[in-house]
Amino acid sequence: MTDRTMVEAVKKEFKEALFAALGRFPEAATPNDRYLALSLAVRRHVMRRWVRTGETYWKNASRTVCYLSAEFLLGPHLANNLLNLGLREEAGQAMSELGYDLDAILAQEEEPGLGNGGLGRLAACYMDSLATLQIPTLGYGIRYEFGIFDQLIRDGWQVEKTDKWLALGNPWETPRPEIVFDVPLGGHTEGYQDEEGRFRVRWVPERVVRGVGYDVPILGYRNGTANLLRLWKAEATESFDFEAFNQGDYWGAVDQKVDSENITKVLYPNDERVRGKQLRLEQQFFFVSCALQDMIRIYQQRKKDLSSFHEKYAIQLNDTHPAVGVAELMRLLVDVHGMGWDEAWEITRRTFAYTNHTLLPEALEKWKVEMFGAVLPRHLEIVYEINRRFLDEVRRRFPGEGSRAARLSLIEETGGRSVRMAHLASVGSHRINGVAALHSELLKADLLRDFHDLWPEKFLNVTNGVTPRRFLALANPRLAALVTEAIGDGWPKDLERLRGLEPLAEDGAFRAKWRAVKRANKADLAGVVQARAGVECDPDSLFDVQVKRIHEYKRQHLNVLHVIALWQRLRRQKKAKAPARTVLFGGKAAPGYRMAKLMIKLVHSVAEVVNADSVTRGRLRVAFIPDYNVKNCMPIFPAAELSEQISTAGKEASGTGNMKFAMNGALTIGTLDGANVEIREAVGKENFFLFGLTVGEIQALRARGYRPRDLYEGDPVLRDVLDALADGALSGGDASLFRPIVDQLLGEDPWLLLADFRPYLESQAEVERAYLDPEHWTRMSILNTARMGRFSSDRSIAEYCRDVWRVTPVPIEGSDLES
Ligand code: F58
């Protein structure tokens, strides 16, 4: 039921914003003006909650979670805020009474793409759940002027375009020109004696950059809470400008300004390997230093003495990107605030906790000691001192094991000395967690094994989750309505309630409704694919989808090998009983990752050949949906029927797309990797298409000696597929185009595509059989959704609160803010 008073209020506030903030009369308003006006109208409601939340936390002096992340992939705000406020209907009604279409206005919002992929999106889901669970939180990150690039496709190749997300204005941020901190960089250190005759160290930087806070409110779901995400922008410091200016060096001053602002210019796209770029280290240090200085500022508003800093704050390191914070907090406590080393170290360790997101050795952050010391001379000294004391402890605990100390050291000595950030994070934290059960086990057994030997009590698992508000309620309004009709409206806050759907899997009428929802969502997506990829697809075919960053370990090319095999089979067996299938891909490749870019070209080349083939017409379609991001994923999950989660076992730390699909009723075809393992346990193994080698089997196979060429020679289907790739049949006769892929597969095949090829094909055949029985398929689909409650990010956050942060909810005073 729409609230009439609210409809009138939104109309009035919209007109007021158009007039007072934008200076427009309605006839002159552009679509962007309308988007801004509605956002400003909604912002008033957000602000009320934000101010009240701040007041409540202040009065209660609440223990606060500080989530430090170099990336927050938030996705569009307006629709999400309307949902959380419970104002969607009212806003729709208000806009239509003014002659506008709410969906068109929502479509106007630019994606705030301040992240690469899973890690950044996880940070956004966690902010959403922290607000929904009413946990006092400060999110800290970077306000990149250019987020993740926009992806265009030209002739089947990815082309990157800079993301100018701020060009048309951002109504969701509030600049705080008075919340500014100086961040020193470069230079050298010197010792001196303070007034009490104690030896102290002073950092004499070469330059100083200023960080300005930009605040973004993060609403809880209909609970009156609005938490704070504070993103830092780099600016030049006035004093430095003036000095140069006074000396007559105008251009020098301008250069300085440009240099300083560069720090938050652009998000680094994740390449195959993290390259030791100085600017990236500067970005990391810059935002972490601002965050820690801000936390100290807030703390000292009440109390000068920093000895209970760790009781006020729980800091979470989202991977190692903010790990330099361990050394920076030590510097602030010891050098700036005069605390003794031992006390400062105790506080530091009790404050920080570290989440690891990858086992891939090439993705582990290391900084060459020379560069680290050039940018952060004082921090290098601090890291050495932490290391000296740490290795003393190691030698005491494990006497005579010299190699253990070398393995644990914060400094890698081989191939030019480097600072190992995962080690710094591990030593400086009281909790270390992986992001899915399997991943956490592998961390203990492998990557951080020596740390686990030392401190087993520090380790735990917190399996990732995703917010059901954005990824079910908002993305899939049809399914949300059906679910609410069946089990009531409590599920967005308590996702375990989806279990109430289980008995309905046996109800034929409910299944028919469930299918109708999926069918309508597929028709919507077909429209999107037509418009964006120029490919027509049949909403009655099986929608088989793989969307995620393009990476060899995620094996989009294994999916393509199946497509080729299927196409060749359909050509051979013209009457074979198989459901029509639409295979959809989406995802960005890092600009410098050649193999990933070739994989995108491969999808397009195969799509071109397959879609033009009159023999298989109506039975197989392939399309690549360009520019996959949070905004564009919204119509994808609700329409998917088969979710491809086919990474090489042991390589995908968790995955979160897998959860978004299953929540929306897609069945998974997947390996025993990351959170797939737990999803399969939750939904039931009979409702999951499993294939592929396990981590243990891969180790054994490698130990025996893996020879992919033997598999090629022994399997005629595989041979036909690879031959088609190699002989140019799929690339307009150009036999060289996909040579790098074929050579890799027949050579080392590091991601074991050929080993998993047969089992994958067999599993896909099982998918076909299951899909031919729609009642059976629908039953499985309902059970998938019904059993995904565990994968709400609310559950993950509740675990962090209990096992890592030791924080409890703080409800917001004022019952008028309930909705
Ligand atoms: C991802 N990591 C994991 N890193 O790959 C995925 O399995 C997991 O579900 C997710 O984290 C959340 O835990 C990831 O997205 C990055 O994007 C890095 C960003 C910075 C550069 C290096 C990659």
Side-chain angles (χ1 to χ4, degrees), residues 71 116 118-119 122 270 280 321 357 435 464 553 652-655:
E71 305 190 357
N116 270 287
L119 172 146
L122 186 78
N270 52 350
R280 184 162 165 83
H321 320 137
H357 295 264
V435 289
N464 284 168
Y553 84 78
E652 189 69 271
S654 161

Side-chain angles (χ1 to χ4, degrees), residues 251-555:
W251 291 114
V254 172
D255 280 351
Q256 175 104 49
K257 184 167 160 63
V258 171
D259 270 2
S260 305
E261 290 179 356
N262 264 346
I263 290 190
T264 52
K265 261 295 165 228
V266 59
L267 167 82
Y268 275 92
N270 52 350
D271 273 71
E272 310 113 282
R273 48 185 61 252
V274 232
R275 274 176 289 188
K277 287 261 168 61
Q278 177 168 329
L279 187 62
R280 184 162 165 83
L281 177 61
E282 289 175 0
Q283 280 187 341
Q284 297 182 349
F285 175 66
F286 164 78
F287 97 88
V288 165
S289 177
C290 289
L292 290 169
Q293 293 187 63
D294 195 36
M295 289 160 61
I296 291 175
R297 174 188 67 87
I298 296 168
Y299 178 100
Q300 290 194 322
Q301 286 172 349
R302 273 173 198 279
K303 191 168 156 195
K304 291 289 163 219
D305 165 25
L306 288 163
S307 60
S308 46
F309 186 83
H310 58 288
E311 288 167 15
K312 167 73 181 164
Y313 294 118
I315 303 182
Q316 193 65 29
L317 300 173
N318 196 25
D319 216 292
T320 55
H321 320 137
V324 69
V326 170
E328 174 65 354
L329 183 58
M330 286 301 288
R331 182 186 76 87
L332 291 168
L333 294 177
V334 174
D335 292 357
V336 179
H337 295 278
M339 192 181 278
W341 181 280
D342 291 330
E343 189 190 2
W345 183 238
E346 178 72 13
I347 290 171
T348 297
R349 279 234 241 197
R350 291 172 75 168
T351 304
F352 284 101
Y354 159 51
T355 304
N356 172 287
H357 295 264
T358 185
L359 297 165
L360 298 181
E362 64 271 26
L364 291 176
E365 285 197 303
K366 282 172 204 157
W367 300 106
K368 287 273 178 265
V369 161
E370 293 73 38
M371 200 253 277
F372 193 93
V375 177
L376 303 170
R378 179 58 182 145
H379 298 76
L380 186 58
E381 293 173 0
I382 292 173
V383 166
Y384 282 152
E385 182 59 16
I386 294 172
N387 200 34
R388 190 184 65 75
R389 290 166 182 247
F390 168 55
L391 295 183
D392 280 351
E393 183 188 334
V394 171
R395 289 189 200 96
R396 272 199 305 278
R397 289 271 307 271
F398 301 94
E401 289 190 42
S403 61
R404 188 182 288 270
R407 291 198 306 269
L408 280 163
S409 174
L410 304 194
I411 306 298
E412 186 175 276
E413 304 282 348
T414 51
R417 305 174 72 229
S418 313
V419 183
R420 295 160 159 164
M421 299 310 274
H423 292 213
L424 178 60
S426 299
V427 174
S429 294
H430 66 292
R431 287 280 184 279
I432 302 168
N433 77 284
V435 289
L438 173 67
H439 169 65
S440 294
E441 286 310 307
L442 294 173
L443 265 188
K444 293 192 282 187
D446 231 10
L447 187 71
L448 297 179
R449 184 193 173 138
D450 293 308
F451 286 96
H452 183 252
D453 285 350
L454 201 58
W455 299 310
E457 69 287 352
K458 275 197 190 186
F459 284 77
L460 77 161
N461 171 248
V462 183
T463 299
N464 284 168
V466 301
T467 169
R469 272 77 63 185
R470 182 178 289 271
F471 292 107
L472 192 51
L474 197 61
N476 199 344
R478 293 189 185 97
L479 195 67
L482 179 60
V483 169
T484 298
E485 182 190 305
I487 62 168
D489 63 2
W491 57 270
K493 263 194 177 178
D494 178 9
L495 205 64
E496 285 291 351
R497 291 201 196 179
L498 290 179
R499 272 219 192 267
L501 296 171
E502 269 192 33
L504 294 165
E506 293 309 320
D507 176 339
F510 185 77
R511 284 201 302 271
K513 288 190 197 167
W514 191 270
R515 262 197 308 280
V517 165
K518 190 61 92 181
R519 177 63 175 69
N521 292 340
K522 287 165 71 183
D524 284 355
L525 182 59
V528 172
V529 173
Q530 173 70 266
R532 313 251 334 275
V535 175
E536 199 181 326
C537 45
D538 171 11
D540 288 315
S541 61
L542 162 62
F543 275 26
D544 170 349
V545 188
Q546 187 172 22
V547 286
K548 48 180 81 241
R549 287 299 290 257
I550 311 292
H551 206 296
E552 289 160 276
Y553 84 78
K554 295 179 189 283
R555 302 200 293 193

Side-chain angles (χ1 to χ4, degrees), residues 701-718:
L701 174 59
R702 288 202 202 280
R704 283 200 307 275
Y706 174 47
R707 296 163 52 92
R709 191 173 280 277
D710 292 354
L711 293 166
Y712 166 81
E713 270 151 19
D715 183 340
V717 174
L718 178 56

Side-chain angles (χ1 to χ4, degrees), residues 85-146:
L85 292 166
L87 284 180
R88 216 186 134 83
E89 299 274 304
E90 286 74 7
Q93 184 64 28
M95 290 305 99
S96 110
E97 288 176 21
L98 294 174
Y100 307 128
D101 172 27
L102 177 60
D103 288 331
I105 292 178
L106 295 176
Q108 185 64 30
E109 183 166 352
E110 281 280 342
E111 162 104 349
L114 308 185
N116 270 287
L119 172 146
R121 182 55 231 177
L122 186 78
C125 283
Y126 282 0
M127 288 302 290
D128 179 288
S129 285
L130 282 156
T132 295
L133 296 182
Q134 304 201 290
I135 304 298
T137 303
L138 291 164
Y140 283 115
I142 301 175
R143 182 182 177 274
Y144 299 105
E145 190 175 330
F146 302 108

Side-chain angles (χ1 to χ4, degrees), residues 4-197:
R4 217 31 253 180
T5 342
M6 213 30 117
V7 174
E8 291 305 328
V10 172
K11 279 162 69 178
K12 184 164 165 279
E13 288 154 359
F14 175 90
K15 288 192 236 167
E16 177 66 16
L18 203 55
F19 165 72
L22 302 167
R24 288 275 194 219
F25 57 93
E27 291 75 9
T30 63
N32 193 59
D33 289 331
R34 290 193 280 277
Y35 158 70
L36 288 175
L38 181 60
S39 299
L40 293 173
V42 170
R43 215 176 93 128
R44 288 175 56 86
H45 299 263
V46 176
M47 287 301 192
R48 282 227 317 280
R49 286 156 179 80
W50 206 19
V51 168
R52 196 73 67 86
T53 302
E55 258 176 334
T56 306
Y57 293 166
W58 168 257
K59 277 193 201 139
N60 293 328
S62 312
R63 177 167 166 79
T64 302
V65 173
C66 299
Y67 199 84
L68 264 55
S69 179
E71 305 190 357
F72 286 92
L73 197 41
L74 297 167
H77 293 273
L78 178 53
N80 198 241
N81 285 341
L82 285 172
L83 174 80
N84 284 332
L85 292 166
L87 284 180
R88 216 186 134 83
E89 299 274 304
E90 286 74 7
Q93 184 64 28
M95 290 305 99
S96 110
E97 288 176 21
L98 294 174
Y100 307 128
D101 172 27
L102 177 60
D103 288 331
I105 292 178
L106 295 176
Q108 185 64 30
E109 183 166 352
E110 281 280 342
E111 162 104 349
L114 308 185
N116 270 287
L119 172 146
R121 182 55 231 177
L122 186 78
C125 283
Y126 282 0
M127 288 302 290
D128 179 288
S129 285
L130 282 156
T132 295
L133 296 182
Q134 304 201 290
I135 304 298
T137 303
L138 291 164
Y140 283 115
I142 301 175
R143 182 182 177 274
Y144 299 105
E145 190 175 330
F146 302 108
I148 184 76
F149 62 87
D150 295 337
Q151 179 190 56
L152 306 177
I153 302 294
R154 282 209 198 111
D155 187 29
W157 294 97
Q158 168 177 298
V159 175
E160 301 89 20
K161 194 173 134 248
T162 44
D163 156 55
K164 303 205 174 88
W165 72 289
L166 291 168
L168 294 177
N170 174 11
W172 303 107
E173 66 183 13
T174 304
R176 300 288 187 200
E178 293 183 301
I179 300 185
V180 292
F181 296 100
D182 282 351
V183 178
L185 290 163
H188 63 275
T189 64
E190 31 184 67
Y192 69 100
Q193 293 216 323
D194 67 12
E195 314 81 71
E196 286 147 49

Side-chain angles (χ1 to χ4, degrees), residues 181-240:
F181 296 100
D182 282 351
V183 178
L185 290 163
H188 63 275
T189 64
E190 31 184 67
Y192 69 100
Q193 293 216 323
D194 67 12
E195 314 81 71
E196 286 147 49
R198 288 183 309 180
F199 177 76
R200 304 274 294 267
V201 177
R202 167 189 310 130
W203 177 9
V204 184
E206 181 198 3
R207 59 206 166 99
V208 177
V209 176
R210 175 159 298 170
V212 184
Y214 280 69
D215 289 355
V216 184
I218 306 290
L219 285 177
Y221 183 73
R222 301 184 188 178
N223 63 4
T225 295
N227 278 334
L228 172 58
L229 171 60
R230 182 161 283 163
L231 303 177
W232 301 99
K233 174 181 193 283
E235 288 185 353
T237 53
E238 279 161 309
S239 51
F240 267 61

